[in-house]
Amino acid sequence: MKRLPFWPTLLVLAAVAVMVGLGIWQLQRAQWKEDLLARYAAAEKLPPTAFPAVPVPDENLVFRRASGNCLEVVKWDARAGRNRKGEGGWRHIASCRTGGAEGPGMAVDYGWSRTSDAPKAPGLSGPVTGVIDFDRDRVFILVSETAAPGLEPSEKPSPAEVPNNHRAYAVQWFLFALVALVIYGIAVWRRKG
């Protein structure tokens, strides 16, 4: 019986070990994500809070009802989004001044429309209530429960929309490891034959 080639075997076993390690890591990430989603679901049931005056990395605020005060809309930004009927279009995000001459500021999703054109809502200011979400840059945003004039309400943020694919990724890594071993086994068997 021939011995297995040392270096190729070592390389394949090292690759398999890395893939299994990545699979285990994804299982740990799945548990972390499940805990995070449970906190998000609990936040929906908490009493309303004030929108944070300064940016804080507290993910316990995400999906919680909140209120803030938009003293003045400084600028508008349009981002892809959906309305409450699930139709695709544009979310209209206002950068609001909340105090002093400049800020600290607050981002408010004032609603949805089919176009990216800035809404015609002059003088839009005052108290805003809604749900805290984060945008694509992981910055807090208050999704207003009522839309600005000329807009429809944006889709309400929900923890159900946050994906948890980590278990599927773990299965993929374990399958990659298995496939690597099978392919290597076939290659060694053919070499001996």
Side-chain angles (χ1 to χ4, degrees):
M1 179 171 176
K2 286 186 177 180
R3 293 176 57 199
L4 291 174
F6 178 76
W7 290 111
T9 302
L10 182 65
L11 181 66
V12 169
L13 290 178
V16 166
V18 168
M19 289 182 251
V20 168
L22 287 169
I24 292 169
W25 175 67
Q26 287 294 342
L27 289 175
Q28 292 167 342
R29 297 267 304 155
Q31 184 58 54
W32 166 82
K33 184 62 94 49
E34 288 165 6
D35 294 344
L36 180 66
L37 292 173
R39 285 199 318 268
Y40 285 167
E44 287 184 305
K45 296 175 181 85
L46 292 174
T49 186
F51 191 84
V54 293
V56 290
D58 184 358
E59 291 206 355
N60 291 322
L61 292 173
V62 179
F63 302 113
R64 189 164 175 187
R65 291 185 39 75
S67 60
N69 191 18
C70 178
L71 295 178
E72 175 188 14
V73 174
V74 178
K75 72 172 189 152
W76 287 99
D77 186 21
R79 298 183 187 164
R82 298 187 176 282
N83 63 11
R84 295 200 179 150
K85 298 177 218 164
E87 299 171 321
W90 298 92
R91 297 170 66 188
H92 294 278
I93 315 295
S95 294
C96 291
R97 186 174 61 79
T98 57
E102 298 174 8
M106 171 173 79
V108 179
D109 177 339
Y110 270 114
W112 174 95
S113 73
R114 293 194 185 284
T115 71
S116 62
D117 299 336
K120 309 264 189 289
L124 185 64
S125 63
V128 183
T129 59
V131 177
I132 297 175
D133 196 3
F134 39 64
D135 68 8
R136 63 182 178 225
D137 301 319
R138 307 291 291 176
V139 174
F140 284 155
I141 186 168
L142 184 61
V143 180
S144 179
E145 60 187 31
T146 57
L151 301 176
E152 293 180 35
S154 292
E155 182 176 52
K156 187 176 177 181
S158 168
E161 300 296 319
V162 179
N164 184 3
N165 304 327
H166 297 290
R167 291 192 192 286
Y169 296 150
V171 169
Q172 286 178 329
W173 283 115
F174 294 141
L175 287 175
F176 291 156
L178 179 63
V179 167
L181 286 173
V182 168
I183 290 172
Y184 186 67
I186 291 170
V188 168
W189 177 74
R190 283 190 168 180
R191 187 171 178 235
K192 288 181 180 182

